[in-house]
Amino acid sequence: MNENTGNPAVSSGAGSAAPVLSIEGLHVQLPLGSERSHAVEDVSYSLMPQEILCVVGESGSGKSLTARAVMGLLPAPHVLYEKGRILFQGEDLTQASEERMRQVRGGEISMIFQEPMTALNPVMRIGDQIDEVIRFHEKLPRKRRRELALNLLEDVHLPDPPRIMSAYPHELSGGQRQRAMIAMALALEPKVLIADEPTTALDVTTQAQILHLIRELQAKHHTGVLFITHDIGVVADIADRVAVMQHGRIVEIDTVEKVLNHPQHDYTRALIDAVPGLVPRPVKTDSGDSILQVRQLVKTYRSGGRFLGIGKAQKEVHACDHVDVVLNESETLGIVGESGSGKSTLARCIVRLHGTDSGEIVYRGQDLCPLDRAAMRPYRSKIQMVFQDPYASLNPRATVGRILTEGPKIMGESTQEADNRAREMLELVGLDSRAFERYPHEFSGGQRQRIGLARALAMRPEILVADEPVSALDVSIQAQVLALLADIRERLQLSMVFITHDLRVAAQVCDRIAVMRLGKVVEQGPTATLFEQASHPYTRELLEAIPGRDWSQRRIRAAQG
């Protein structure tokens, strides 16, 4: 393990040579009966002023708990600080009183959380939440605090700051909520900013904007940034140095150039190798036989409406606006776009979870749109869906066996046939047949996604609709699930509609791609063609926003050379 001393931020003359934050031999203990004794074990690293140190690792590596230990926010009494030192400008925070930690939090060390919707108070306006941070630490008149809040919202490039000030969190988009959280975190110009997976749930274009914003504000406020992520592409875009964590320990730490281009540890190499490449899969010969056609599909959502002249006017959102796509036999069609583009609505319309306003969804010559519930029943098993969040889509009170056999039994299979099929599908997706008797909460996220896939396959579908099936998974688990999907598609000759906002993933699994924006398909064609010769500006914008794009392209050139 190498502790780099040639930090770019320091060697360029920016800031002091002394670390603003040092973690020395930190141990964080887990409850008795856990898989391991410590969540964090003998972790040591330092953060320099004006430096961005990325801590990278998969779920359970201890990276987020290390950050929470710095903030004094460990989930006691179950997870406890055991020993070690956390030095902030020379002061050991492990010995600080709770009153002192309240002064440190927000005023001197701030944190941006992964999910702003759960971190922001849903019943307080954004302006009041920023005001609360300033009021707690600074004795300033209300007018001055409001001016500071407005300036902060302008600094994070939010449109119409006065409107944002008076808005509630649910009235903002995901990217706007994250920007509001960054404004709160920077309200008092902290010396250290901890960003815990701040871009994981965001679209690639919004993610690119947030990364640029953090880098810009870090330079402006001379802040040291501890950036926690599992995305190597993000690391390539933003880091000065990288610390790699596995099973609660630091396994490698050095400059971003050395870690990403010359990794020393096997785990680091495995993380890098699991990053989806930017080389699209070979163009598949078109059989000419289509299995599904979506023609001029329209789906509009309406909300609000006046009652006796009171209230806001009705709002309409055209989620699908005259959409045309075709899925061929044994092909994977990618539907790509940002949140709000209409891609998930299109998926739910295809499987008839949502009704449609007009248009056709034609499966083997039969338009499914006009069919009622009874008439649709014979087609349900032919088109199955794998959802983004497997835990939310699996019944927590049912065993895996019951989850997998319920559908086939409803369709008329005997208990013995359904049980045999379920065990066969569990083995097909790489799970032990003993999982049949267990419950969803007993499995990891990647295993739960495999169960969701097994449930869909148990119905013997011809079309699989996968809605962001790997977006919530660690990069190595993501690679495993993508390889599994590709293998199953070939073995069972499935046709697949694959919904994603990540063009890196689309390159690995999709034969053709349809790009959606604001409910419309703006461009579609073979994956390789879109990557090499994208014609629409929005497609080019998505491609340019891919995390670590430049680094990935250098890797490709190096491999080819």
Side-chain angles (χ1 to χ4, degrees):
M1 180 176 74
N2 299 318
E3 175 68 65
N4 175 54
T5 55
N7 168 38
V10 176
S11 61
S12 64
S16 162
V20 67
L21 180 71
S22 293
I23 297 174
E24 300 177 357
L26 182 66
H27 290 69
V28 174
Q29 195 171 34
L30 286 171
L32 290 174
S34 300
E35 289 186 3
R36 61 179 195 257
S37 61
H38 290 82
V40 175
E41 191 169 6
D42 197 25
V43 164
S44 299
Y45 58 75
S46 60
L47 176 69
M48 308 300 289
Q50 295 193 45
E51 177 188 37
I52 296 182
L53 171 64
C54 276
V55 183
V56 64
E58 296 174 290
S59 297
S61 63
K63 57 189 188 299
S64 291
L65 277 178
T66 304
R68 287 178 176 271
V70 172
M71 297 291 287
L73 294 175
L74 289 175
H78 305 294
V79 179
L80 299 170
Y81 159 80
E82 185 182 66
K83 61 181 178 179
R85 297 202 302 170
I86 300 172
L87 300 177
F88 171 63
Q89 295 185 322
E91 177 186 4
D92 188 355
L93 297 183
T94 65
Q95 305 301 314
S97 66
E98 184 54 36
E99 181 181 356
R100 171 58 182 148
M101 287 307 301
R102 282 196 295 268
Q103 294 173 344
V104 169
R105 295 186 201 111
E108 299 172 67
I109 303 177
S110 285
M111 191 164 183
I112 306 168
F113 295 92
Q114 179 174 353
E115 179 43 69
M117 195 59 182
T118 57
L120 294 171
N121 190 328
V123 297
M124 284 181 68
R125 299 179 191 274
I126 295 297
D128 293 335
Q129 298 192 51
I130 299 175
D131 180 79
E132 186 177 58
V133 174
I134 300 171
R135 179 163 44 87
F136 183 85
H137 292 278
E138 300 284 348
K139 304 297 183 185
L140 295 174
R142 181 172 178 80
K143 182 179 179 181
R144 177 59 182 147
R145 295 200 306 268
R146 178 176 172 80
E147 289 174 358
L148 281 174
L150 285 169
N151 289 339
L152 285 164
L153 294 177
E154 288 176 2
D155 284 348
V156 297
H157 308 308
L158 276 166
D160 194 1
R163 180 187 68 81
I164 299 291
M165 287 272 287
S166 61
Y168 291 95
H170 72 271
E171 297 179 289
L172 306 182
S173 69
Q176 288 175 331
R177 285 194 292 266
Q178 197 61 282
R179 288 170 188 265
M181 273 204 65
I182 293 172
M184 290 173 62
L186 294 171
L188 299 168
E189 299 195 13
K191 299 292 190 297
V192 174
L193 179 65
I194 299 174
D196 187 6
E197 301 269 14
T199 61
T200 297
L202 302 178
D203 297 313
V204 285
T205 51
T206 308
Q207 178 174 263
Q209 293 165 10
I210 295 295
L211 293 178
H212 176 75
L213 175 64
I214 289 174
R215 173 67 84 176
E216 175 187 303
L217 294 174
Q218 175 243 3
K220 179 179 178 180
H221 296 281
H222 309 292
T223 305
V225 178
L226 190 62
F227 195 102
I228 297 163
T229 184
H230 66 261
D231 191 330
I232 296 293
V234 169
V235 172
D237 283 346
I238 199 170
D240 296 315
R241 285 190 304 141
V242 185
V244 182
M245 288 191 73
Q246 182 190 27
H247 304 320
R249 290 179 171 271
I250 299 284
V251 298
E252 186 165 356
I253 182 167
D254 216 316
T255 62
V256 64
E257 193 279 331
K258 288 184 179 178
V259 172
L260 295 194
N261 297 326
H262 308 286
Q264 301 299 305
H265 197 275
D266 289 344
Y267 180 68
T268 310
R269 287 193 286 269
L271 285 179
I272 292 171
D273 290 343
V275 176
L278 293 180
V279 179
R281 59 185 294 142
V283 177
K284 187 170 185 174
T285 304
D286 188 353
S287 66
D289 299 325
S290 64
I291 189 172
L292 185 80
Q293 301 102 33
V294 177
R295 301 171 184 158
Q296 292 294 292
L297 184 71
V298 175
K299 174 63 179 177
T300 303
Y301 294 113
R302 296 174 177 84
S303 61
R306 297 182 185 276
F307 179 70
L308 299 177
I310 302 172
K312 297 180 180 179
Q314 189 177 63
K315 182 181 179 181
E316 289 190 349
V317 176
H318 300 288
C320 290
D321 190 358
H322 298 88
V323 170
D324 286 302
V325 292
V326 175
L327 176 67
N328 295 318
E329 294 270 12
S330 303
E331 175 190 62
T332 298
L333 171 67
I335 310 292
V336 173
E338 298 173 293
S339 295
S341 62
K343 58 188 188 298
S344 289
T345 295
L346 174 60
R348 288 172 177 267
C349 286
I350 288 173
V351 297
R352 305 295 291 130
L353 288 177
H354 288 343
T356 57
D357 298 330
S358 62
E360 299 177 330
I361 300 172
V362 180
Y363 164 71
R364 297 202 180 280
Q366 171 65 55
D367 184 6
L368 304 180
C369 288
L371 300 183
D372 61 20
R373 188 170 181 175
M376 183 66 200
R377 185 170 177 177
Y379 298 98
R380 291 284 183 196
S381 64
K382 302 300 182 185
I383 307 175
Q384 285 289 300
M385 191 164 184
V386 179
F387 296 90
Q388 178 175 358
D389 184 350
Y391 198 63
S393 64
L394 299 174
N395 185 344
R397 292 179 291 182
T399 63
V400 169
R402 180 182 161 192
I403 289 169
L404 267 59
T405 59
E406 197 169 32
K409 287 178 183 177
I410 290 172
M411 298 304 293
E413 282 194 14
S414 69
T415 299
Q416 187 62 49
E417 288 175 329
D419 285 359
N420 290 341
R421 175 72 174 172
R423 294 180 188 277
E424 181 186 338
M425 290 304 100
L426 284 173
E427 292 183 2
L428 181 66
V429 300
L431 292 175
D432 195 298
S433 61
R434 288 175 294 183
F436 193 87
E437 305 296 340
R438 296 166 64 190
Y439 290 85
H441 73 270
E442 299 179 69
F443 296 90
S444 68
Q447 288 172 325
R448 286 197 290 265
Q449 195 59 281
R450 289 169 185 261
I451 293 167
L453 179 57
R455 176 178 61 181
L457 295 175
M459 298 295 289
R460 294 182 170 85
E462 293 184 348
I463 297 174
L464 198 63
V465 179
D467 186 9
E468 300 271 15
V470 296
S471 63
L473 303 178
D474 288 320
V475 63
S476 61
I477 306 299
Q478 182 183 92
Q480 293 170 18
V481 173
L482 290 176
L484 175 63
L485 282 169
D487 178 58
I488 287 173
R489 190 194 72 162
E490 295 300 326
R491 289 168 66 176
L492 303 182
Q493 289 300 295
L494 285 171
S495 302
M496 192 184 308
V497 178
F498 193 96
I499 312 294
T500 184
H501 68 264
D502 191 337
L503 280 164
R504 295 174 301 182
V505 170
Q508 302 307 301
V509 299
C510 301
D511 300 303
R512 288 188 305 116
I513 290 177
V515 181
M516 289 191 71
R517 181 174 185 268
L518 301 177
K520 293 180 178 290
V521 174
V522 297
E523 184 170 6
Q524 56 183 309
T527 304
T529 302
L530 258 68
F531 268 72
E532 294 167 8
Q533 304 168 8
S535 60
H536 196 278
Y538 179 67
T539 308
R540 293 197 293 270
E541 184 182 348
L542 288 178
L543 288 166
E544 288 166 5
I546 292 173
R549 175 183 170 86
D550 293 341
W551 169 72
S552 294
Q553 289 177 330
R554 287 196 298 271
R555 286 187 74 209
I556 292 168
R557 288 195 292 269
Q560 291 172 341

